[in-house]
Amino acid sequence: SSISSHSGLTDIIAKILGLRLNLSTLTASELKSFILNFGLFNEAILSKKQKLGAKNQKVLLVQLARMLTERGIDPQSVNRAILDIESSQLETNQSLQNREIFFSLLLPFKDFGNINFSFSKFTPENNEKDSPYTFNLHTKNEKLGEIWLRVVVEKKINLSMQMWATDSTTYRKAKDGVVKLSQLLSDAGLNISAFEIFNEEKPGEKIEKEKKAVGDNLSTGYTVDVEA
């Protein structure tokens, strides 16, 4: 159901969509600002008795859900987004208690689509300082197909990388670009110790998608199109 015709909603929807980043012009400061507006950092701000910014994505989503309810429109999809943020916060807190650093978020880009990003570091019992960092990226769009990238960073400079690409053209371009990527990373003081590239879906993803599909089918209601 389109909600663009409902007065008072257009402005807040524009603010939410305006939070999306531009991949072609992305800067480190823009990415940092986006991350600080997400998840666990909300709790850190509130713990200091400070107010969340007016452009904080969770604040805007809560406002949108309330306005939809007031107008008799099912806010289910918006509430689900809010729960996803809170679930990420909870998962992060639990990981910290288990001596593991874990952080995940969805990076929305205006000119590319969404990228799912996660970062983790396990701290062993002996408090080893140089335990590896693990980064995971996942995206899917019409140009590139579906891509997964896993990077394990050891001793701060050695990268062990794995990439899965369902699109054969993307797979070939990735293979052809390894030398150039290696040089770029070398110039930045990093070393690729291993890089495996597969022209297939990441193992185990089919099961995860089936689990998600079952969860979605158990939900009721309809999706609100905020871009209509």
Side-chain angles (χ1 to χ4, degrees):
S1 171
S2 172
I3 61 174
S4 58
S5 59
H6 291 264
S7 61
L9 293 174
T10 305
D11 182 57
I12 191 169
I13 291 172
K15 289 179 180 179
I16 293 173
L17 295 178
L19 294 176
R20 295 178 299 173
L21 305 167
N22 278 306
L23 186 61
S24 58
T25 60
L26 184 65
T27 64
S29 60
E30 288 175 334
L31 184 59
K32 178 181 178 181
S33 177
F34 182 89
I35 293 175
L36 290 176
N37 263 331
F38 181 86
L40 189 64
F41 297 100
N42 290 341
E43 306 307 313
I45 294 172
L46 292 173
S47 68
K48 296 179 181 178
K49 297 182 179 180
Q50 299 175 357
K51 292 184 178 180
L52 296 176
K55 291 186 177 181
N56 181 280
Q57 60 177 325
K58 185 175 178 181
V59 170
L60 292 172
L61 288 171
V62 170
Q63 291 176 0
L64 178 58
R66 184 175 64 249
M67 293 173 72
L68 290 173
T69 301
E70 291 172 350
R71 287 160 176 75
I73 303 174
D74 188 352
Q76 178 179 303
S77 59
V78 179
N79 285 333
R80 185 178 299 172
I82 295 170
L83 288 174
D84 285 344
I85 293 175
E86 293 176 343
S87 175
S88 177
Q89 292 175 239
L90 178 61
E91 189 175 18
T92 302
N93 276 316
Q94 290 175 336
S95 295
L96 290 173
Q97 292 172 7
N98 292 328
R99 305 180 64 80
E100 179 184 7
I101 298 172
F102 179 83
F103 181 74
S104 68
L105 76 162
L106 178 70
L107 296 171
F109 292 97
K110 299 175 182 177
D111 53 349
F112 185 79
N114 297 331
I115 294 179
N116 290 290
F117 167 80
S118 68
F119 158 80
S120 62
K121 181 188 180 192
F122 177 71
T123 305
E125 293 296 330
N126 59 6
N127 290 320
E128 182 184 347
K129 293 183 179 180
D130 291 330
S131 57
Y133 297 83
T134 301
F135 298 86
N136 283 288
L137 295 173
H138 171 246
T139 188
K140 182 179 181 181
N141 61 51
E142 294 180 358
K143 292 182 179 180
L144 301 177
E146 195 162 13
I147 300 172
W148 296 264
L149 179 66
R150 183 174 186 266
V151 182
V152 178
V153 183
E154 296 183 293
K155 297 182 179 179
K156 298 182 181 180
I157 61 169
N158 295 323
L159 312 181
S160 177
M161 305 172 67
Q162 290 179 301
M163 175 180 171
W164 296 264
T166 56
D167 183 83
S168 57
T169 300
T170 299
Y171 166 75
R172 288 194 298 271
K173 287 182 177 180
K175 295 278 285 186
D176 293 341
V178 171
V179 175
K180 183 178 181 180
L181 175 63
S182 180
Q183 183 59 54
L184 288 172
L185 291 174
S186 178
D187 292 343
L190 301 172
N191 171 59
I192 298 180
S193 56
F195 195 177
E196 298 178 289
I197 305 175
F198 306 94
N199 186 198
E200 61 185 28
E201 189 175 71
K202 183 180 178 181
E205 285 301 311
K206 185 176 181 180
I207 296 175
E208 290 300 318
K209 289 178 180 178
E210 289 175 350
K211 288 181 180 179
K212 185 178 185 302
V214 171
D216 290 343
N217 289 335
L218 292 175
S219 301
T220 58
Y222 59 89
T223 300
V224 176
D225 180 7
V226 299
E227 297 191 59

